[in-house]
Amino acid sequence: MRRLSRLVVAAASACTLVGALVGAALAYPNPGLVTGDVVVHDPTMIRTSSGGYVVYSTHGYLEARTSTDRITFTRAGSAFGSPPSWWRTYSSGNDPWAPDISQQSGRYLMYYAVSGFGSNFSAIGLATSSTGQPGSWSDQGVVYSTTTSSDHNAIDPNLLVDASGRWWLSFGSYWTGIRMIRLDPATGKRLSSDQTLYHLATRPDAPYAVEAPDIVRHGGYYYLFASYDRCCAGTSSTYKVKVGRSAAPTGPYVDRSGTSMLSGGGTMVLETHGSVIGPGGQSVLSDVDGDLLVYHYYDGNAGGTPKLGINLIGWDSAGWPYVY
């Protein structure tokens, strides 16, 4: 009987171990099926009024890809046919980055950054469109900028409209991390009556590698998704997506354990697994079948080529997001 009991215990332990390994393997799903032209960095996606999808991404005057089914994507030009004159001040190659698209009061808005890699001599611009389609955008100029003497960086913008209808722009990369300003809904630019520069997230360890904020409202909280660690290094990338939440748009944001995102906190949402390397540069879209995490990753099966990733977001019983 003792031998049988030992066998039963051993079998149960083995099953527990296998279950743990399987659970770990399933902790992060692979990206959902996407095909066609899906080589992107820093994607933002919208479902237009006509029911189709447009993805905009870094480079090429803000590269555009369209889809009718959220699976097959086709390259469709760029947001801009030619660069606004002010871009060259911040980028000798007229190279815009990290767009953020949304639809507000019947028009489409796109915030984006112009900078040089590793520099905080940067600016965030705004463009508007009546359709959201490639080539339809009108530039509205600079919204916010930083210089090499600034302690933060004006890239990776994201618009939040809070529960009271107030507009906020979060942004930031390295230096002191994620910052936020309040915007005027009438212009989409900084609100003159509130010049506060809010601080949302940073790292306690140099080089303070947190960037690409995206804030969404769910239930009674605001959730700050951000990318941590090293981007843009192919299979050597260590990018990952973390999240914190707050009852107010300006923070404080804390992770599941209660650690502030101003102290390096952040609950993991997605990180390297298998051939999916360095996922990040994320945005969140609410679609007809739920919330989506839209991001890029480096494909270990394709020499580290950056590709579009899309996963549905679930919300657990405690209100924390996960991807599936």
Side-chain angles (χ1 to χ4, degrees):
M1 286 293 293
R2 283 196 299 270
R3 180 173 181 275
L4 179 59
S5 296
R6 286 197 298 271
L7 288 172
V8 170
V9 170
S13 298
C15 287
T16 299
L17 177 60
V18 169
L21 291 173
V22 169
L26 295 178
Y28 300 113
N30 286 330
L33 176 64
V34 293
T35 64
D37 191 331
V38 293
V39 177
V40 302
H41 262 122
D42 309 315
T44 181
M45 183 167 70
I46 196 163
R47 185 184 178 110
T48 66
S49 300
S50 62
Y53 297 88
V54 184
V55 172
Y56 289 98
S57 60
T58 286
H59 302 316
Y61 302 165
L62 300 174
E63 295 177 355
R65 290 160 179 84
T66 58
S67 176
T68 59
D69 58 8
R70 216 174 68 198
I71 295 175
T72 303
F73 289 86
T74 303
R75 185 77 162 87
S78 298
F80 294 96
S82 59
S85 59
W86 66 265
W87 285 10
R88 192 169 292 280
T89 301
Y90 299 93
S91 169
S92 60
N94 282 323
D95 188 24
W97 299 347
D100 172 75
I101 187 173
S102 64
Q103 187 177 18
Q104 308 294 339
S105 302
R107 65 173 179 165
Y108 295 88
L109 303 180
M110 188 153 57
Y111 292 89
Y112 62 92
V114 184
S115 185
F117 195 82
S119 171
N120 68 333
F121 182 61
S122 312
I124 292 168
L126 168 64
T128 58
S129 167
S130 60
T131 65
Q133 295 297 320
S136 69
W137 295 89
S138 297
D139 190 66
Q140 305 301 319
V142 175
V143 175
Y144 187 81
S145 62
T146 50
T147 70
T148 54
S149 62
S150 302
D151 68 351
H152 57 290
N153 195 6
I155 70 168
D156 295 355
N158 170 245
L159 174 66
L160 167 70
V161 179
D162 71 16
S164 300
R166 296 174 299 179
W167 286 30
W168 306 91
L169 190 74
S170 60
F171 54 88
S173 170
Y174 287 71
W175 279 267
T176 54
I178 308 304
R179 299 290 187 143
M180 173 182 271
I181 59 174
R182 190 171 170 191
L183 302 180
D184 182 347
T187 64
K189 296 190 175 183
R190 195 170 191 182
L191 185 67
S192 59
S193 61
D194 185 351
Q195 293 293 296
T196 306
L197 181 63
Y198 299 89
H199 201 184
L200 305 186
T202 191
R203 299 278 294 273
D205 51 328
Y208 318 109
V210 54
E211 58 189 10
D214 195 287
I215 302 176
V216 298
R217 183 160 51 96
H218 179 82
Y221 291 100
Y222 297 91
Y223 290 80
L224 168 56
F225 293 80
S227 296
Y228 284 63
D229 296 323
R230 186 185 183 196
C231 173
C232 313
T235 56
S236 297
S237 299
T238 57
Y239 237 20
K240 53 184 68 72
V241 180
K242 294 185 179 183
V243 71
R245 71 184 183 186
S246 171
T250 56
Y253 288 86
V254 300
D255 64 16
R256 187 188 288 268
S257 68
T259 302
S260 171
M261 293 184 81
L262 285 168
S263 300
T267 296
M268 195 73 72
V269 176
L270 189 63
E271 61 182 330
T272 295
H273 55 285
S275 63
V276 178
I277 299 170
Q282 73 292 321
S283 60
V284 178
L285 168 66
S286 291
D287 205 355
V288 291
D289 54 344
D291 296 325
L292 304 173
L293 188 72
V294 182
Y295 57 95
H296 73 249
Y297 68 96
Y298 300 91
D299 189 346
N301 293 327
T305 299
K307 292 186 177 180
L308 175 66
I310 301 175
N311 286 93
L312 282 160
I313 298 174
W315 302 87
D316 69 18
S317 59
W320 287 96
Y322 60 92
V323 294
Y324 65 97

